[in-house]
Amino acid sequence: MTDTSEHPHPEALPTPPPQCPASKLGPGPGGRTRLYGPEAENDLHGLYERLRKEHGSVAPVLLSGDLPAWLILGYRENLDVARTPSRFSRDSRLWTEMREGRVPPDHPLLPIVTWQPMCVFADGEQHERWRGAVNDAIARFDRRGIRRYVTQCANQLVDRFCASGEADLVHQFAEPLPMMAMTELLGMPEEFSPQLVSAGRDMIKRSATAVQSNEFVQETLRKLVARKRARPGADFTSWLLEHPSGLTDDEVQQHLRLVLIAAFESTASLMANTLKMVLTDIRFRASLAGGHMTLPDAVEQVLWDEPPFVNILGRWAIQDTELAGRQIKAGDALVLGLAAANVDTAVRPDLDAPIHGNRAHLAFSGGAHECPGQDVGRAIAGTGIDALLLRLPDLKLAIEESELDYRSTLLCRHLTSLPVKFTPHQPSLHKQTIEKTPVDGTVPSPVQPARLSGASGGETPASRTSWWKSVRNWFRRS
């Protein structure tokens, strides 16, 4: 763990605002369909298919506050937009609605569309400078160290509920675990993670309090940057600060926010959806039980079928242009429809066919702005699920699958809960601890090589048993 002496206690930070339900509005005017309200929340995939039938690969839609935009539904069209910065820019300052003052200061989309000094809002040389710093910092992570730390955190979370014989795997496991890992990787204490989970989820939901939640996250990271500037360590924040590109404190802060929130949401949803599929999908379970699907295969299947981010609002037309027969005006906003593209029959004529080992999905977008930390997210999700099923091999869904509830927003669709039951048992009596030896005046974290005491060769006992083998044994006992 990182040294907490340089951080304020989390209670000293602003309290994230309470969550607020999204507005419920009816159909939009002018032939455009709202991407918010009851239909979008209750049947997101059905809405995509209706739009595809009515409009083809590019559909006219309305964002919150009835702001016009284009939703890209086709796989090839999504790649075209993502890979053509000469026509479609990431610079939100081009947005006509923003320039002409039609986006109010309390609009729920402001945290993700207001231009900020970070790579997701830049193209060309500026993008290369910022993205290069992020890539170099991520490259310094020790993947084995991350897996060891995630295994330890996963076991700590399981210890909190294993004696009860029941749990909600969304709120008690899939959400807290990624934030525990990310706070460590960024160089802040684990105690901050519960408040950041609440604020991060509120931002992603684009609720009425999204702006306040964003301010809470920004203030937390601003204090972190100031402390790491004065006292650097072996962590992502310090590496950005010392990068040769010479990032300012504000640039570092904005990229920390980007990495923290994106990694939290994508990894939490990936874990929840993978666990849900293991517990409910007969074909998926049979494949695992037969030993024909490995953990990476399982994760990629979920990334095709249930990507963590269903849409990305993040392209603006540089000039008047045409896309799939639609006339796009300069300054128009475009929404990359990642979930819709992943089920486009042009690339997946049979949605029931397994696609083991195929990473051609758009779950992490594409082009120059494809998610740089996707492999770290895969490592956190896979390791966490592995550790959970090793501890609780007889997990079963506690309710009917039809009772599972999803919450959908413009950006994401995620399970609200995943209640399970299992055989109760006592918490682990042999908790593993990370040996911390000072290195250059700092304490090693998952980003630096570290050994777990009691495990030969630096390997944990959990790492020696594959996830699918655990599931196979589970079904044999059932």
Side-chain angles (χ1 to χ4, degrees):
M1 293 296 297
T2 48
D3 182 3
T4 61
S5 62
E6 60 183 282
H7 302 281
H9 190 276
E11 292 181 356
L13 295 170
T15 301
Q19 298 175 353
C20 178
S23 299
K24 308 287 186 180
L25 300 177
R32 291 177 176 266
T33 301
R34 286 188 171 101
L35 285 186
Y36 64 103
E39 183 177 12
E41 293 176 4
N42 298 331
D43 187 14
L44 194 61
H45 292 296
L47 174 62
Y48 291 156
E49 291 312 304
R50 179 173 70 79
L51 289 173
R52 202 190 304 270
K53 290 179 180 179
E54 293 179 2
H55 304 285
S57 299
V58 179
V61 295
L62 294 171
L63 308 177
S64 298
D66 284 354
L67 301 177
W70 299 96
L71 175 63
I72 316 303
L73 299 163
Y75 182 91
R76 293 188 179 91
E77 289 75 16
N78 269 277
L79 283 179
D80 186 16
V81 172
R83 293 174 176 177
T84 317
S86 60
R87 296 169 60 205
F88 306 105
S89 174
R90 285 295 274 127
D91 191 338
S92 63
R93 292 172 295 188
L94 296 172
W95 192 14
T96 299
E97 303 303 309
M98 185 82 79
R99 288 189 292 105
E100 296 183 357
R102 288 192 284 273
V103 183
D106 60 346
H107 195 280
L109 291 177
L110 278 181
I112 61 169
V113 299
T114 301
W115 189 91
Q116 296 155 74
M118 57 185 182
C119 58
V120 294
F121 288 106
D123 299 302
E125 292 183 3
Q126 185 63 276
H127 173 259
E128 292 176 3
R129 172 177 173 263
W130 285 331
R131 177 65 177 250
V134 172
N135 287 346
D136 290 346
I138 289 176
R140 296 180 67 172
F141 289 150
D142 178 72
R143 300 300 194 271
R144 295 179 68 187
I146 291 175
R147 290 187 175 91
R148 293 180 189 122
Y149 183 75
V150 170
T151 297
Q152 182 192 37
C153 291
N155 283 320
Q156 290 176 358
L157 290 173
V158 172
D159 279 345
R160 296 176 186 177
F161 58 75
C162 64
S164 67
E166 59 183 17
D168 175 0
L169 293 184
V170 170
H171 297 291
Q172 293 177 268
F173 193 79
E175 285 189 347
L177 182 58
M179 192 60 82
M180 290 170 71
M182 291 309 302
T183 52
E184 176 73 15
L185 296 177
L186 266 59
M188 65 177 68
E190 179 185 319
E191 303 92 87
F192 287 5
S193 63
Q195 290 177 295
L196 289 171
V197 166
S198 176
R201 183 64 86 191
D202 193 46
M203 287 173 58
I204 294 296
K205 289 197 309 182
R206 306 302 156 217
S207 73
T209 54
V211 173
Q212 295 98 304
S213 290
N214 180 59
E215 292 174 353
F216 166 77
V217 173
Q218 295 278 33
E219 179 62 19
T220 302
L221 296 176
R222 188 176 298 113
K223 292 181 177 180
L224 173 64
V225 171
R227 282 161 177 78
K228 289 299 178 180
R229 177 70 78 179
R231 186 181 176 186
D235 52 66
F236 186 76
T237 305
S238 300
W239 293 337
L240 284 182
L241 286 168
E242 68 186 34
H243 193 269
S245 60
L247 272 61
T248 66
D249 286 8
D250 187 43
E251 290 173 332
V252 171
Q253 176 190 326
Q254 298 305 334
H255 283 93
L256 291 178
R257 170 182 168 274
L258 170 67
V259 170
L260 179 69
I261 300 303
F264 159 63
E265 172 60 28
S266 60
T267 309
S269 292
L270 179 58
M271 292 178 65
N273 288 333
T274 302
L275 286 167
K276 173 253 184 181
M277 186 170 283
V278 169
L279 294 169
T280 62
D281 193 304
I282 295 177
R283 294 164 303 172
F284 189 88
R285 293 167 61 176
S287 185
L288 277 171
H292 301 301
M293 180 179 284
T294 64
L295 176 56
D297 291 335
V299 170
E300 297 309 318
Q301 183 72 50
V302 172
L303 288 171
W304 275 100
D305 296 335
E306 291 283 352
F309 286 99
V310 295
N311 299 308
I312 294 179
L313 172 59
R315 295 297 190 283
W316 289 269
I318 294 177
Q319 58 197 17
D320 291 355
T321 186
E322 181 179 316
L323 182 66
R326 294 289 179 177
Q327 299 303 313
I328 311 296
K329 298 293 184 181
D332 280 2
L334 294 96
V335 179
L336 298 182
L338 307 183
N342 278 353
V343 296
D344 187 346
T345 55
V347 293
R348 289 184 69 187
D350 182 3
L351 297 181
D352 294 326
I355 43 180
H356 297 174
N358 189 336
R359 288 192 174 191
H361 56 74
L362 298 184
F364 298 107
S365 189
H369 290 275
E370 186 173 356
C371 175
Q374 55 185 278
D375 287 336
V376 174
R378 285 183 175 99
I380 294 173
T383 304
I385 293 172
D386 189 19
L388 173 69
L389 294 182
L390 283 170
R391 290 286 303 278
L392 307 174
D394 62 343
L395 275 175
K396 297 183 183 299
L397 195 63
I399 60 176
E400 295 297 325
E401 181 181 356
S402 60
E403 298 179 68
L404 292 175
D405 183 51
Y406 284 85
R407 179 179 295 275
S408 298
T409 67
L410 173 65
L411 299 183
C412 59
R413 176 179 182 266
H414 62 84
L415 278 167
T416 58
S417 64
L418 187 61
V420 295
K421 55 185 178 181
F422 49 88
T423 301
H425 63 80
Q426 293 302 310
S428 173
L429 298 179
H430 52 283
K431 295 183 179 179
Q432 299 164 331
T433 58
I434 296 179
E435 294 182 357
K436 297 183 176 181
T437 305
V439 178
D440 296 329
T442 63
V443 175
S445 66
V447 297
Q448 291 290 331
R451 293 189 299 109
L452 285 174
S453 60
S456 62
E459 294 294 330
T460 67
S463 68
R464 301 193 189 108
T465 305
S466 67
W467 178 50
W468 66 263
K469 184 178 293 184
S470 300
V471 178
R472 180 176 60 189
N473 292 338
W474 167 28
F475 286 117
R476 286 177 175 173
R477 287 193 297 268
S478 300

